[in-house]
Every structure is written in structure tokens, then in C-alpha cells.
Amino acid sequence: MTHTQPVQNTQVKGPLDGLIVVEIATVIMGPLAGRLYAKLGAEVIHIEAPSGDVIRRSGQSRNPGMSAAALSLGDGKKNITLDFSDADDQQTLNE
């Protein structure tokens, strides 16, 4: 007979746990900074235009819009698409 113990969450919270970062940046440096914030425990929300970040189409990829750089820089983030010319999307950003 085997006995199982309940699995406990052993993930250590980072020093930025509880911080919410809204990332409106493209290409490399802004998304890299956002990735570092996420790795340190912050909740990072990456906002992209409807056309997507240009890094999605840069370099090699197995699937369109999913380059290795985009996958790496997006690690640990939530992603949303907003069109800043749309009044409803502007309101969403302000919330």
C-alpha cells in the first residue's frame, strides 16, 4: 500500500511579488526588461498592437508569428492586444 502526501507549492516568491507591470514596448530592450521583472516575481502584462510585435516576425520560427526571440522574451508574461486608436481599448488601458 502506498501513501501519498499532498503536494505543497514550494515555489519561492520573488522580491517583486505583488508588483504589476504594464509593458508597452517592442523589439528587444523593453521586453527583456519585462522578462526580468517577471522572473523576479512581478506580474507583467505585455500589450501588443493588433499587428503584433515586430520581434514575432524576426528570425527563424516553426510557426508564423512565433519566433524564438518572441517566445523567450514573452516568457512569464500575460499578453493582450490593444488598438490605441480604438476608444474602448484606450479605456481598457486606463483601467
Side-chain angles (χ1 to χ4, degrees):
M1 181 188 311
T2 60
H3 296 281
T4 58
Q5 296 288 333
V7 177
Q8 295 179 2
N9 184 359
T10 58
Q11 185 173 353
V12 177
K13 293 183 179 181
L16 300 181
D17 183 54
L19 179 69
I20 298 174
V21 176
V22 177
E23 175 190 299
I24 307 173
T26 62
V27 190
I28 300 287
M29 299 312 290
L32 178 59
R35 182 173 189 257
L36 295 174
Y37 280 119
K39 293 297 179 193
L40 290 170
E43 177 184 350
V44 179
I45 303 168
H46 176 72
I47 299 176
E48 288 188 25
S51 60
D53 191 339
V54 296
I55 199 71
R56 288 185 175 274
R57 298 176 295 279
S58 300
Q60 296 180 344
S61 64
R62 290 186 180 180
N63 298 305
M66 301 299 290
S67 71
L71 293 173
S72 177
L73 293 170
D75 184 35
K77 300 177 188 177
K78 296 178 180 178
N79 292 297
I80 64 171
T81 300
L82 295 177
D83 181 352
F84 295 141
S85 65
D86 181 80
D88 290 336
D89 284 357
Q90 290 175 13
Q91 182 61 36
T92 300
L93 178 62
N94 290 329
E95 292 172 356

